[in-house]
Amino acid sequence: MEEIRQMAKRKEPTNGEIMAKEIIAKYKPKTVEDMQNALKDIFGPMFEAMLNGEMDNHLGYDSNDHGAKTTENRRNGYIEKTVRTSQGNVEIKAPRDRDGSFEPQVIPKRSRDVSGIEDKVLAMYARGMSQRDISSTIEDIYGFTLSAEKISDITDRVLDELNEWQNRHLKKVYAFVFVDCMYVTIRRDYEVKETAVYTILGYDLQGKKDILGLWLNETESKNVWMQIFDEIKKRGVEEIFFISMDGVSGLTDGAKSIFPNVIVQRCIVHLIRNSVKYIPTKDYKAFTANLKKIYGAPSLKAAENEFEKFKQTWAMYPGAVDVWARNFEYIAQLFDYGSAIRKVMYTTNAVESVHSSFRKVTKQGAFPNENALLKLLYLRITELYAKWNGSSVQNWAMVRNQLMVNSKFQTLMQKYENLI
């Protein structure tokens, strides 16, 4: 009985265990590198066996079954080729047929790379690695080199996808749109120039985030923004409720010329940054605390009262007070809307977060051309989309309810009810 119990405890070895023992017995590896070299040695015969199996299926008979030939097509020897794998380069002999109709799937004709290296290159490029760093990393890990031209060719394959994304049809309505600018260095005509990258982030009526596009400009003007918003309209946008921005030159007039009913809001955080330039460091805390009483007031009347106190308290810093005096209209209009709406519209932090993500991958120095920059930013955007995963903005139900009861947006919300 004991012997029977012991036999029951023993398990039959799996195919993997049997193969592992055979590999160890033959190659006697001492290190991880020895094991990787052993696996690389096995890849060639495995590929060849799979290709020969595909050829058998293609012809309808195997190489030893001469009496079952059902086609005039025949095997026609082999062609030697070097295949790039995740373990390095492997030499194989790929079978051929006489009429050239054999189309293998495991290693397609004219293909010499089964490493999945293109996806790896794109992932490294999306994280801001230079071509030199990518090439060195590939060589260190996989044992083969990729030239700068090859890496450029791989990353250039996203240009068609980028173009399609940049011209795609947009949603009919965006409740909130945020505009921000960052500067990147690009070589143009043998000169290195700072180029503005404008990003427009939108929240649709379901509170879903979408980056409407990227635009590169050396100058800002009303006409430039008219062209951008005209493009957005042609791509399907019928209404924008709010635009939050940081005093971008020409944006207000350009946006209102295309979307007459849009509410343009200056970013309060940027106004704070602009005003503290005139304040000694020792007064920062008290100054910003007084400001919060203004834009965080429960009503417009309370905000106006707090502003009068603010002007008197900080009269010794006229430059700081003037920033708020010139822009008080943007504080006043916040109180036309519920607190949930105000919390979304008062700052451009949402799009600044996108630019923060961009800056992590644009530190490599000057870009050789616009396409090099745009394909990098587009790959970064695809990562952001994956991170957002189609989720709605926090507290969106309250925002939507406040939009539906606001007299300025009731009609529009009813018109586009099917989009909510």
Side-chain angles (χ1 to χ4, degrees), residues 58-301:
H58 175 66
L59 296 176
Y61 66 93
D62 64 45
S63 56
N64 298 318
D65 190 6
H66 301 293
K69 296 178 180 178
T70 59
T71 174
E72 293 300 318
N73 194 14
R74 298 288 184 269
R75 287 176 174 77
N76 189 30
Y78 296 87
I79 180 172
E80 294 184 356
K81 61 192 298 186
T82 302
V83 179
R84 181 177 292 150
T85 76
S86 57
Q87 296 294 329
N89 291 337
V90 173
E91 303 293 332
I92 67 166
K93 293 181 179 179
R96 296 184 300 185
D97 59 343
R98 287 183 181 177
D99 64 15
S101 59
F102 177 48
E103 296 289 345
Q105 299 300 309
V106 62
I107 303 178
K109 283 183 177 178
R110 293 169 293 280
S111 174
R112 294 180 179 273
D113 194 334
V114 294
S115 63
I117 205 66
E118 293 186 3
D119 289 340
K120 297 178 179 68
V121 168
L122 290 175
M124 286 187 279
Y125 192 80
R127 286 163 176 77
M129 290 181 67
S130 67
Q131 291 181 343
R132 180 180 297 176
D133 288 341
I134 292 173
S135 180
S136 297
T137 301
I138 293 297
E139 185 171 9
D140 288 344
I141 297 175
Y142 302 107
F144 54 78
T145 59
L146 286 181
S147 66
E149 291 76 13
K150 178 63 176 177
I151 294 171
S152 182
D153 288 344
I154 291 173
T155 56
D156 278 351
R157 293 179 188 179
V158 305
L159 289 175
D160 288 341
E161 190 178 328
L162 163 65
N163 186 60
E164 183 178 342
W165 174 82
Q166 192 80 315
N167 293 285
R168 75 197 187 284
H169 199 74
L170 298 171
K171 301 283 183 68
K172 289 183 178 180
V173 182
Y174 288 91
F176 299 90
V177 161
F178 307 89
V179 179
D180 194 31
C181 168
M182 61 178 282
Y183 286 88
V184 178
T185 306
I186 298 179
R187 296 190 189 96
R188 299 174 188 267
D189 301 324
Y190 304 103
E191 292 183 56
V192 175
K193 295 183 178 180
E194 288 287 300
T195 300
V197 179
Y198 290 98
T199 304
I200 299 183
L201 172 70
Y203 293 175
D204 66 18
L205 291 183
Q206 294 182 335
K208 305 291 178 64
K209 295 181 182 181
D210 188 18
I211 296 175
L212 278 58
L214 301 170
W215 290 267
L216 306 185
N217 283 298
E218 292 185 30
T219 59
E220 301 175 32
S221 69
K222 173 184 174 181
N223 290 335
V224 169
W225 284 106
M226 282 182 64
Q227 293 169 12
I228 289 175
F229 283 103
D230 187 52
E231 175 192 321
I232 288 173
K233 189 166 187 176
K234 288 177 179 177
R235 289 167 59 196
V237 179
E238 297 175 4
E239 294 286 349
I240 296 175
F241 294 174
F242 299 96
I243 292 178
S244 294
M245 55 90 177
D246 169 33
V248 179
S249 176
L251 185 146
T252 300
D253 292 339
K256 285 185 173 292
S257 67
I258 307 299
F259 298 102
N261 299 319
V262 68
I263 308 298
V264 179
Q265 175 66 40
R266 282 291 305 270
C267 174
I268 301 301
V269 175
H270 278 90
L271 290 177
I272 293 172
R273 292 173 188 166
N274 291 341
S275 61
V276 296
K277 295 175 183 177
Y278 302 95
I279 302 295
T281 306
K282 65 182 178 66
D283 291 331
Y284 275 13
K285 188 174 181 179
F287 180 80
T288 55
N290 282 177
L291 283 175
K292 191 171 183 179
K293 290 180 180 179
I294 301 171
Y295 64 81
S299 66
L300 176 57
K301 184 64 177 175

